[in-house]
Amino acid sequence: QVQLVESGGGLVQAGGSLRLSCAASGRTFNNYIMGWFRQAPGKEREFVAAISRGGGNTAYTDSVKGRFTVSRDNAKNTVYLQMNSLKPEDTAVYYCASDSSGIPWYGGRRADDEGRYDYWGQGTQVTVSS
């Protein structure tokens, strides 16, 4: 069982920055591929970013490339999402998720596929005002 707890959400003006954190339980965090997803009101949940076990591979949805950066600190069992140049359309509940299967980054489902992930956090609200 993996527990994921997000933090760092809040209200920010357009153009501002936030850093989300996701703390994971367990002693095998460095074996998990980690992902960030978001869900805006009235919309389906969508992929934002993902990072491989060692951090050497990352993936982003096109709308956040160049603005968001995913990183991880395996010693702290934490994954981060640094969000810069925020836009009102980034407003959503942000979720972190873990893939504890052990399947390699380039194996199995794509990193942007929700079905790849088996544990999810409760989410943290990000609101960007115009």
Side-chain angles (χ1 to χ4, degrees):
Q1 187 77 9
V2 177
Q3 291 186 321
L4 304 172
V5 179
E6 301 97 335
S7 61
L11 173 64
V12 64
Q13 288 189 330
S17 299
L18 283 174
R19 187 175 82 156
L20 305 183
S21 300
C22 173
S25 64
R27 295 185 292 178
T28 57
F29 177 75
N30 59 346
N31 288 336
Y32 307 155
I33 289 172
M34 299 298 296
W36 285 98
F37 290 77
R38 65 187 180 186
Q39 187 168 22
K43 296 187 177 181
E44 292 188 352
R45 189 160 57 188
E46 65 172 353
F47 170 76
V48 177
I51 188 166
S52 60
R53 294 173 179 85
N57 292 295
T58 57
Y60 298 91
T61 191
D62 285 346
S63 63
V64 308
K65 285 179 180 177
R67 300 189 297 122
F68 290 11
T69 303
V70 60
S71 62
R72 65 191 296 161
D73 185 337
N74 286 342
K76 295 182 178 179
N77 281 17
T78 302
V79 62
Y80 304 98
L81 185 67
Q82 177 67 44
M83 305 186 296
N84 298 329
S85 302
L86 282 161
K87 304 176 181 180
E89 51 264 43
D90 295 317
T91 295
V93 177
Y94 283 71
Y95 299 89
C96 71
S98 66
D99 166 13
S100 63
S101 69
I103 296 174
W105 176 260
Y106 291 110
R109 299 188 182 208
R110 289 165 52 99
D112 61 358
D113 185 343
E114 280 194 30
R116 175 159 199 154
Y117 300 90
D118 45 3
Y119 294 100
W120 294 80
Q122 82 289 348
T124 186
Q125 176 70 47
V126 171
T127 303
V128 184
S129 63
S130 57

